[in-house]
Amino acid sequence: LVVEKKEFVENLQSSVQQLSRENEALKAKLAQNECVSFDRRQRYESVAAIMALRVSGEDDPEQLGALWARYVEPDFELHLPRTPYRSFPTYELTSEGGRIVSGVPAAILDLKSLRVCLTSLLRRLKQRRAGYLACGGRDLTSVSSMAWREISEPSDSILQQKDAVNVVRNCQNKLIVNPNTQIQDDPAAQTSSDDADRSEVSLRPNSSSDEDSPPDSSVSGSPDQQINNRRLSDPSKFAGAKQKKQPVTECFLERQAVAWTEDGTMLAPWVLRLTDEEGHIVFRHRGTLRATFRSSSRSDDVNGTAKKMNSAIDKSHRIAKLEIIHDTFAMWQQLQRGNRVDKSTNRPVPNTLDSALEPSKEARIVTTATRPFRIEHVNGAWTKLCGYEADESIGKTLSILQGPDTEKDQVQHIVRDAEHGHASCCVLTNYNKDGHKFRNFLRVYPLFEDDDGCSSKPPSHMLGVLQHDICG
């Protein structure tokens, strides 16, 4: 009996020890999982913040640099496909046909170019709407529905994107990330599966502007079609509204479709969306991204987890390389469709002096790349718009187009961006040679010398594209 009792006690002690070891292992595993989850949340927020910063309203280069430095490594690389629809330095091109943007200053130059591209789309859509109203006498509702039918039909290249974005087919919950990295749910981002698989330009109202009237489940068609039907059935709700809103540009991630590799690399789909001041979603485009981080997730640092959770963005959560993948041809096609670009002017944005000097129907002016930005070339369209012949303008500055009502703050904004070699745009009140005022939608692009092997160099000239603006 004594022997049996002793054996029982030994077995019991062994069982307790085994259970204790298993309990410790489970606690360590839970702590490890908690650390991995925290790392992934922080890394997700870093990527979401960077994607939002690319389209945010922050304009000061120094402030932008400080914000980017918070989320990316000093030697950060941004890999992009070639983007003919907007400006970029020629030295960024790779032999594979893509682009590599190296460092924070270059990333800021790239985002400035993207913003000019998107702002141009919003401005031209506004001019189209103003032109319809002025010439046809139709209300905004009929104009919007007509334009929507004309430009919303997807092309073959757009429909081909379905295979590339099947990963986001079943994702309903989306996130909008604003520049200060706060994340909130985006109920307006929910779309049907067919609508979610293509980039598009439209003039339909944003669902968020019609919160009191959700889509009627008894009405057939997609949510977008139901919204369009409500617009036609109740014109006063959409066309009669006088209250204006600021245009909104959003770039957010599909959180539920995010995937992670063992080394901590993040894969995620993203959505770029523009809403104009009338509340219409005028552009939507999708793609995917791959974010790589310098350090792997430090899941073994269990004791440091609490400290990390109470700290700012940890260095291991800074992005080392961000690869943005999307169908550039489809996006270019959609931008052209929204801009109503004539096929004869269907050309890439000039990036070099030679391309800027090619014949163009746009009113173009080329200046030096540094103050006082003296005029070196004007084309025939610029002469027709401004009234000055080439020999009257070359050697002078753009002050010849300025007058009492020219917006000095906008001029300072353009000059500051030009000094940094950044693309920029604004609407100015200018004067032609006869002294008559006209509203000018001005876009400024840096021009670079042909690639000679240099990895980074300043612009050689600045290109200004003037457009008579009828929006007032």
Side-chain angles (χ1 to χ4, degrees):
L1 182 61
V2 174
V3 172
E4 292 179 355
K5 184 176 180 180
K6 183 178 180 180
E7 183 179 354
F8 172 77
V9 171
E10 290 176 350
N11 290 337
L12 181 60
Q13 290 177 343
S14 178
S15 299
V16 170
Q17 291 174 357
Q18 178 65 24
L19 290 174
S20 298
R21 287 193 295 269
E22 292 178 356
N23 185 49
E24 291 297 326
L26 180 60
K27 289 171 62 177
K29 183 65 175 179
L30 291 175
Q32 180 181 359
N33 291 341
E34 182 182 7
C35 190
V36 170
S37 298
F38 175 77
D39 280 342
R40 289 180 175 180
R41 287 195 302 270
Q42 291 294 307
R43 292 182 174 188
Y44 173 88
E45 291 177 3
S46 295
V47 176
I50 286 299
M51 296 300 288
L53 278 174
R54 281 173 52 81
V55 297
S56 71
E58 180 58 52
D59 198 57
D60 182 74
E62 294 184 0
Q63 182 66 18
L64 278 172
L67 290 171
W68 275 74
R70 182 182 179 189
Y71 300 108
V72 302
E73 296 283 357
D75 56 348
F76 165 76
E77 283 189 356
L78 175 63
H79 290 234
L80 297 165
R82 185 167 184 170
T83 52
Y85 47 84
R86 61 186 181 92
S87 172
F88 61 86
T90 54
Y91 57 76
E92 291 179 352
L93 291 174
T94 66
S95 58
E96 292 80 13
R99 294 170 50 206
I100 297 181
V101 180
S102 301
V104 171
I108 294 175
L109 187 150
D110 178 74
L111 72 83
K112 289 276 190 172
S113 168
L114 176 60
R115 292 180 189 176
V116 171
C117 173
L118 300 178
T119 303
S120 298
L121 173 63
L122 287 170
R123 196 69 195 176
R124 289 185 178 180
L125 288 172
K126 186 176 180 180
Q127 290 192 53
R128 281 171 47 197
R129 193 175 292 115
Y132 279 133
L133 294 174
C135 299
R138 290 168 292 193
D139 62 22
L140 180 60
T141 302
S142 62
V143 171
S144 298
S145 60
M146 180 192 67
W148 162 242
R149 287 194 296 270
E150 289 180 355
I151 65 181
S152 63
E153 293 299 325
S155 65
D156 292 339
S157 63
I158 298 170
L159 294 176
Q160 289 171 359
Q161 292 185 89
K162 290 187 176 183
D163 293 336
V165 293
N166 282 335
V167 69
V168 299
R169 273 186 174 277
N170 298 321
C171 296
Q172 295 288 330
N173 299 324
K174 304 178 180 178
L175 300 174
I176 294 178
V177 186
N178 60 25
N180 60 10
T181 72
Q182 294 178 351
I183 302 175
Q184 56 186 7
D185 291 335
D186 176 28
Q190 296 183 2
T191 58
S192 65
S193 60
D194 287 339
D195 180 58
D197 290 338
R198 61 180 69 126
S199 61
E200 57 188 41
V201 179
S202 70
L203 295 175
R204 69 180 179 280
N206 188 348
S207 59
S208 61
S209 64
D210 191 30
E211 294 176 348
D212 297 334
S213 300
D216 188 355
S217 59
S218 64
V219 180
S220 61
S222 67
D224 285 333
Q225 292 171 335
Q226 296 175 23
I227 293 173
N228 195 45
N229 291 337
R230 293 202 309 276
R231 176 180 60 212
L232 297 175
S233 63
D234 188 7
S236 61
K237 193 162 192 176
F238 296 90
K242 301 298 183 182
Q243 185 176 2
K244 302 286 185 179
K245 299 180 180 180
Q246 290 296 321
V248 177
T249 305
E250 303 162 317
C251 191
F252 50 90
L253 305 180
E254 301 274 5
R255 187 163 197 167
Q256 288 191 349
V258 172
W260 299 89
T261 64
E262 292 183 359
D263 63 354
T265 298
M266 173 180 162
L267 309 171
W270 53 266
V271 180
L272 173 63
R273 186 175 64 190
L274 277 72
T275 306
D276 69 5
E277 56 191 12
E278 299 287 347
H280 306 138
I281 300 176
V282 297
F283 182 82
R284 180 161 51 212
H285 186 68
R286 294 176 176 271
T288 58
L289 63 82
R290 180 197 304 269
T292 306
F293 302 83
R294 183 62 46 81
S295 303
S296 60
S297 296
R298 294 174 295 172
S299 56
D300 55 337
D301 185 14
V302 176
N303 296 329
T305 300
K307 184 183 296 185
K308 287 164 57 180
M309 290 182 177
N310 295 325
S311 65
I313 298 297
D314 189 86
K315 289 184 178 181
S316 66
H317 305 144
R318 292 179 182 172
I319 308 168
K321 182 171 72 173
L322 181 62
E323 300 173 71
I324 296 180
I325 307 163
H326 64 103
D327 188 340
T328 55
F329 181 78
M331 184 169 181
W332 193 13
Q333 190 175 49
Q334 291 297 319
L335 289 170
Q336 291 166 350
R337 188 174 296 176
N339 289 336
R340 282 294 196 270
V341 175
D342 192 309
K343 291 183 179 180
S344 62
T345 61
N346 182 8
R347 296 179 180 176
V349 173
N351 293 319
T352 65
L353 180 60
D354 290 341
S355 60
L357 296 181
E358 292 178 356
S360 174
K361 293 183 179 180
E362 295 178 322
R364 292 182 177 181
I365 181 171
V366 177
T367 72
T368 58
T370 57
R371 279 181 177 267
F373 303 105
R374 296 194 180 276
I375 301 172
E376 292 193 357
H377 171 81
V378 297
N379 68 354
W382 185 91
T383 297
K384 183 177 180 180
L385 176 64
C386 301
Y388 293 94
E389 296 296 334
D391 57 356
E392 296 176 303
S393 54
I394 291 177
K396 297 182 180 179
T397 67
L398 293 175
S399 61
I400 62 176
L401 301 181
Q402 299 175 14
D405 292 337
T406 301
E407 296 79 359
K408 303 301 181 184
D409 57 336
Q410 295 291 350
V411 173
Q412 293 174 359
H413 164 77
I414 289 288
V415 169
R416 183 191 64 185
D417 281 341
E419 288 179 327
H420 286 85
H422 295 162
S424 187
C425 66
C426 70
V427 179
L428 290 172
T429 301
N430 283 145
Y431 294 77
N432 63 15
K433 182 179 178 180
D434 296 332
H436 295 119
K437 292 191 297 185
F438 67 94
R439 294 288 283 170
N440 169 29
F441 176 52
L442 174 65
R443 286 160 289 158
V444 177
Y445 302 108
L447 300 177
F448 299 86
E449 296 178 355
D450 290 331
D451 185 19
D452 56 4
C454 296
S455 60
S456 178
K457 53 188 173 183
S460 61
H461 297 80
M462 300 300 291
L463 168 67
V465 180
L466 287 69
Q467 181 181 356
H468 187 216
D469 192 90
I470 65 174
C471 297

